[in-house]
Amino acid sequence: MTSENRTVVQIDGHSVHIEGNGPRTVVMLHGWPDTHRLWDAQVAALAPHVRCVRFTLPGYDASQARRAHSLDEIVTLLARVVDTVSSGAPVTLLLHDWGAIFGYQYAMLHPQRVD
């Protein structure tokens, strides 16, 4: 799906939804048992002002085969997402539930990439 302010890109086999075109990028991480859809209302409110980036965390999509993912695997995926969607500037993390665990670990390992 692509339109003027909405794009879906594939990163390591995961659909990453990018909406909005503001000067800042907000990466949204959901918790259990949610998906990227948890952030629909926030994206509707924020997309006129910032770029909203979200994806369903590995192992959280009931329509796909499930397996355990390590903290390192998910943080590595998050790093690839951030590097792809905002290579030159830090991002703001918007975290919920288990998404906070992954986001905090990423922020500790990559403080220069988080605003």
Side-chain angles (χ1 to χ4, degrees), residues 22-44:
R24 299 179 64 155
T25 299
V26 176
V27 177
M28 303 169 168
L29 296 180
H30 63 84
W32 180 259
D34 299 305
T35 68
H36 74 280
R37 300 305 304 257
L38 172 76
W39 301 110
D40 286 351
Q42 289 78 10
V43 169

Side-chain angles (χ1 to χ4, degrees), residues 42-109:
Q42 289 78 10
V43 169
L46 295 174
H49 312 286
V50 299
R51 289 178 67 225
C52 299
V53 177
R54 58 195 172 137
F55 60 97
T56 298
L57 290 166
Y60 285 60
D61 188 344
S63 70
Q64 296 180 352
R66 293 195 177 185
R67 72 167 183 84
H69 295 272
S70 71
L71 179 60
D72 288 341
E73 286 177 298
I74 294 177
V75 170
T76 297
L77 172 60
L78 178 54
R80 294 257 305 124
V81 170
V82 170
D83 289 346
T84 299
V85 302
S86 186
S87 63
V91 300
T92 299
L93 297 176
L94 186 56
L95 309 171
H96 170 70
D97 192 60
W98 274 94
I101 302 296
F102 308 126
Y104 291 161
Q105 183 71 11
Y106 175 80
M108 287 189 301
L109 294 171

Side-chain angles (χ1 to χ4, degrees), residues 4-7 18-22 43 46-52:
E4 184 177 320
N5 293 323
R6 173 183 281 173
T7 304
I18 305 166
E19 299 172 67
N21 57 4
V43 169
L46 295 174
H49 312 286
V50 299
R51 289 178 67 225
C52 299

